[in-house]
Amino acid sequence: MKAKPATKAFDIQTKLTPYLYSNKELSEFEFIMYEIEANSIPDYIQKNNTLGLLYGVQKNDALMKLHFESALSCAFDLDILSNYAVLLNHCSLFKKQKQVLFDYREYLNTPALLKHLLNVVSIYLDSNMAEFICKKAVEIKCDGVFINAFYVRKMQILEVRKMTNCSDTQIALLVDICSSILKKYNQVCDFLELETVAGGHSVFGVATGSIDILVDMNFELADRVSETPELDSCKLTAVFRPSKRVEL
């Protein structure tokens, strides 16, 4: 019996998800197999959604964006937007992630999507968007736990912003540096924290079992920042830390 298009797309996406969350690329044979299967999905939107996931797993930024945007241009779908947001983070495309979620901000009617937006807004210390998210959470009647967490993060953003007094340009430069280092070392930002102890810090959680990778990433981060004159007066700092215990 021939599988329905939606079932086939769901099956492929389910098989690809473990690769996404373990940050492992497919072998050449596996990739070709999934690419052929995805292209055979009759439904145009689901085909592009699946191909977007496939190319995102392989960290092919251009094709990943092309297919997700093709799907969203045909019909807005919260699940596809959520997938796109996850893949943009997976590929460390924070600038694009913020732009996409900002463009669709009026449609972010789930706590998960608001959390995606708040995470990238936190990276850019965008207090105006943080305020919007808090209001949106109340508007769509999010659980009190979410509303409180969003409010706490908004206050952290305001505090770090006031403490560091960095310009939007300086923050964007620092984010771009962090993004390029994550891509160079093939790492993914699992979480972001803001700290105000001894100055404002952006803490990028990295799920790696190698302390050497984290050390190299932080040394390169320090070098890149020191080589960027525009950041000389920036009090905001960034650091990569393990999102779980690493073996020495």
Side-chain angles (χ1 to χ4, degrees):
M1 184 176 176
K2 195 173 182 180
K4 294 179 182 179
T7 302
K8 186 173 187 179
F10 179 78
D11 181 58
I12 297 172
Q13 292 166 26
T14 301
K15 290 176 180 177
L16 288 174
T17 299
Y19 289 92
L20 174 66
Y21 288 107
S22 62
N23 194 31
K24 292 181 179 178
E25 292 187 3
L26 299 160
S27 68
E28 184 178 358
F29 173 78
E30 289 172 321
F31 173 74
I32 293 173
M33 179 188 69
Y34 281 118
E35 188 177 42
I36 293 171
E37 284 289 296
N39 274 303
S40 70
I41 297 171
D43 183 276
Y44 180 82
I45 294 174
Q46 283 304 319
K47 176 171 71 176
N48 279 283
N49 183 30
T50 307
L51 285 168
L53 173 59
L54 174 62
Y55 289 120
V57 166
Q58 296 300 91
K59 295 190 177 178
N60 185 324
D61 298 349
L63 287 178
M64 182 267 291
K65 289 187 287 185
L66 173 67
H67 286 288
F68 274 120
E69 290 177 11
S70 293
L72 288 170
S73 68
C74 292
F76 176 75
D77 184 290
L78 277 176
D79 289 335
I80 294 176
L81 179 62
S82 182
N83 289 343
Y84 194 16
V86 168
L87 267 298
L88 285 169
N89 182 80
H90 180 75
C91 296
S92 301
L93 298 173
F94 304 126
K95 183 177 180 180
K96 182 65 177 179
Q97 184 187 22
K98 182 183 176 187
Q99 176 204 323
V100 169
L101 290 173
F102 180 84
D103 288 345
Y104 287 101
R105 62 191 180 279
E106 297 299 336
Y107 300 95
L108 304 183
N109 294 322
T110 69
L113 280 168
L114 286 178
K115 185 178 178 181
H116 283 313
L117 179 57
L118 185 60
N119 283 340
V120 73
V121 161
S122 299
I123 293 174
Y124 286 94
L125 297 179
D126 190 328
S127 55
N128 291 330
M129 280 302 296
E131 176 67 23
F132 167 84
I133 292 166
C134 289
K135 290 180 179 178
K136 187 73 173 179
V138 174
E139 177 187 320
I140 66 174
K141 298 181 172 57
C142 285
D143 185 274
V145 174
F146 280 102
I147 293 174
N148 183 64
F150 293 161
Y151 177 78
V152 169
R153 178 58 66 89
K154 182 192 79 169
M155 297 310 294
Q156 287 179 312
I157 290 172
L158 289 170
E159 186 176 2
V160 173
R161 193 79 196 232
K162 181 179 180 181
M163 179 180 292
T164 60
N165 195 32
C166 292
S167 68
D168 291 341
T169 300
Q170 288 175 317
I171 295 169
L173 279 171
L174 185 59
V175 173
D176 285 346
I177 290 172
C178 290
S179 174
S180 65
I181 292 173
L182 283 162
K183 292 182 77 64
K184 176 180 177 178
Y185 289 88
N186 193 31
Q187 299 299 314
V188 175
C189 175
D190 268 8
F191 69 84
L192 177 91
E193 291 182 349
L194 295 176
E195 294 184 354
T196 55
V197 179
H201 292 71
S202 294
V203 182
F204 294 82
V206 178
T208 176
S210 171
I211 192 68
D212 292 336
I213 287 177
L214 282 170
V215 170
D216 289 345
M217 289 174 70
N218 280 304
F219 270 122
E220 182 158 347
L221 175 59
D223 288 342
R224 294 276 298 277
V225 169
S226 66
E227 293 167 359
T228 307
E230 296 89 343
L231 295 177
D232 286 347
S233 62
C234 184
K235 297 179 181 178
L236 178 69
T237 58
V239 63
F240 296 111
R241 289 184 187 165
S243 57
K244 58 184 178 181
R245 184 176 179 273
V246 296
E247 299 297 331
L248 299 176

